[in-house]
Amino acid sequence: MTANLKPLGELIHRQEDDEGAITVYQDHNLRYLTFGNFVEQSCLALNRPFRLEHAYTQAMMLSLLLKDDIRSALLLGLGGGSLARALHHVYPKLRVNAVEYRQAIIDIARQFFELEDKKNLKLHCQDAQHYLDGNDSRHDLIFADLYLPDGVHEAQLKVDFFAQCRQRLAERGVLVVNQWSSEFRLTKLSQAAICQVFNEQFINLHVKGGNNIVFAFNGNFPDLQRKSFLEAAQKLGMKLDIPLQNLSRNLWQQNAEAIEIRRHAEG
C-alpha cells in the first residue's frame, strides 16, 4: 500500500464485496488496484508485468540478498500479485503461497493483473492469522503487507501476529514487513511488537512514499559485506529492472552502525 492523492486514470472495473469497493484504473501502460479510493494497493506495468512499480515493493526484494538457498515464500496479502510475479521472475521454481482474505481480490488479480495459475503458486482465500494458526509449514521468506481501505490491518500491530510469523519461518528465514500509516503512533506500535518478538534482530529501510520496510531475522544476523551486498543488489536490480543498488545503499547507510554492532557480536 502506498499513498497517491492524484487521479489514477480511467476506471476500467469496479465491484463490491462484503468488505467494500474494489476498483481498477488504467493510465496508459499502468494499471492500478485500489479499495474504492485513490490509495494504490498494487500497480502493474502492462509491458513489463514482472517489474515492481512501487518503491516499497522494490525495497522488499532486498530480502532475496539476506537469505541463502531460498526455496519458499509466503505472501500475507496478495493485492494484484506484484510480489508473486517478481519472485517467480527471479526464481521460476520458487514455491509461493499467497494468502488473501477477499476472493474478489484473487479473481481481479487473475483477470486484470496477469497473475497466472502455476503449480508452484498456491492461492489461499483465508484470514492471514487463521492461515498461520492452521498451517505448520515453514518458509524462507514471509512478506506481510496487510492493509484495509482505511489503513493498516490491526494484525500488523500485534505481538501475537509477529510471533506467529516467526514460528512459520525456516531457520535463518526473513520476515519482510511493509509499514505505512498516516498515524506515526501505529508505526511505533508495529515496531515495538516486532522488537519484542525478534529481540532487535531486524533492520529498517525508509523509502519514498512514507513506507518503512522491516527485515526481521529468525536466527543470527546475516553476515553482510558492503561491497558484495551492493554488487549483488545491482545484479538483481538489473534482472528486475528496478534501482535496487540505490535502495541497497540506502539500507546500508540507514543501518550501518547496527549492522557492524550485530555482526561483530555474533562473529
Side-chain angles (χ1 to χ4, degrees):
M1 179 178 184
T2 191
N4 187 344
L5 300 180
K6 299 179 181 179
L8 299 176
E10 178 187 0
L11 177 66
I12 62 173
H13 180 76
R14 175 186 169 89
Q15 71 181 77
E16 294 197 15
D17 63 8
D18 292 342
E19 303 300 319
I22 306 166
T23 48
V24 180
Y25 292 88
Q26 187 163 327
D27 184 9
H28 301 288
N29 180 57
L30 297 178
R31 189 170 287 175
Y32 301 95
L33 172 70
T34 82
F35 292 159
N37 50 33
F38 292 117
V39 177
E40 299 172 28
Q41 298 292 335
S42 197
C43 180
L44 167 71
L46 294 171
N47 63 335
R48 292 175 294 180
F50 65 86
R51 189 180 191 276
L52 295 163
E53 296 298 319
H54 291 145
Y56 82 91
T57 53
Q58 294 174 2
M60 285 177 151
M61 289 296 101
L62 289 173
S63 60
L64 300 181
L65 309 179
L66 301 174
K67 171 78 170 71
D68 295 327
D69 193 24
I70 297 171
R71 300 183 182 184
S72 66
L74 174 63
L75 310 181
L76 301 177
L78 176 67
S82 300
L83 288 175
R85 290 192 304 271
L87 289 169
H88 276 150
H89 184 73
V90 178
Y91 296 127
K93 296 183 179 180
L94 183 71
R95 299 190 306 274
V96 177
N97 283 271
V99 181
E100 172 56 54
Y101 179 64
R102 302 168 73 175
Q103 182 62 47
I105 297 293
I106 296 174
D107 296 340
I108 287 173
R110 286 170 167 155
Q111 182 178 357
F112 292 97
F113 290 86
E114 300 190 18
L115 186 66
E116 301 176 359
D117 290 320
K118 299 179 180 181
K119 290 183 179 180
N120 57 340
L121 172 61
K122 294 184 179 180
L123 305 178
H124 308 268
C125 184
Q126 196 172 357
D127 175 82
Q129 289 179 284
H130 291 166
Y131 178 86
L132 292 170
D133 275 337
N135 191 298
D136 60 1
S137 59
R138 294 180 178 270
H139 306 273
D140 296 308
L141 301 176
I142 297 179
F143 297 84
D145 190 14
L146 299 174
Y147 281 83
L148 303 171
D150 57 351
V152 63
H153 193 292
E154 63 177 7
Q156 285 193 188
L157 308 175
K158 296 182 177 180
V159 170
D160 288 349
F161 171 73
F162 292 117
Q164 286 177 306
C165 289
R166 183 163 191 174
Q167 289 173 356
R168 297 294 169 257
L169 282 173
E171 184 178 359
R172 293 185 177 271
V174 183
L175 171 66
V176 189
V177 184
N178 174 35
Q179 294 178 328
W180 180 90
S181 177
S182 58
E183 296 184 52
F184 183 65
R185 169 184 65 86
L186 298 181
T187 300
K188 294 293 288 183
L189 280 175
S190 182
Q191 285 272 4
I194 292 171
C195 184
Q196 183 171 335
V197 172
F198 285 88
N199 302 316
E200 298 188 356
Q201 292 291 90
F202 64 91
I203 51 180
N204 296 284
L205 174 58
H206 300 280
V207 299
K208 182 180 178 181
N211 298 72
N212 180 60
I213 307 304
V214 181
F215 304 91
F217 308 108
N218 185 36
N220 291 340
F221 200 84
D223 183 14
L224 301 177
Q225 304 296 326
R226 186 178 186 277
K227 181 179 179 180
S228 58
F229 180 67
L230 297 185
E231 288 175 349
Q234 181 181 31
K235 183 177 180 180
L236 180 60
M238 291 176 65
K239 186 163 188 174
L240 288 167
D241 191 25
I242 59 177
L244 211 53
Q245 190 177 53
N246 290 340
L247 288 166
S248 68
R249 287 197 185 99
N250 291 342
L251 179 69
W252 199 277
Q253 182 178 15
Q254 292 176 24
N255 298 275
E257 183 176 359
I259 290 172
E260 288 300 317
I261 290 173
R262 292 168 190 172
R263 186 171 59 189
H264 289 306
E266 296 172 358

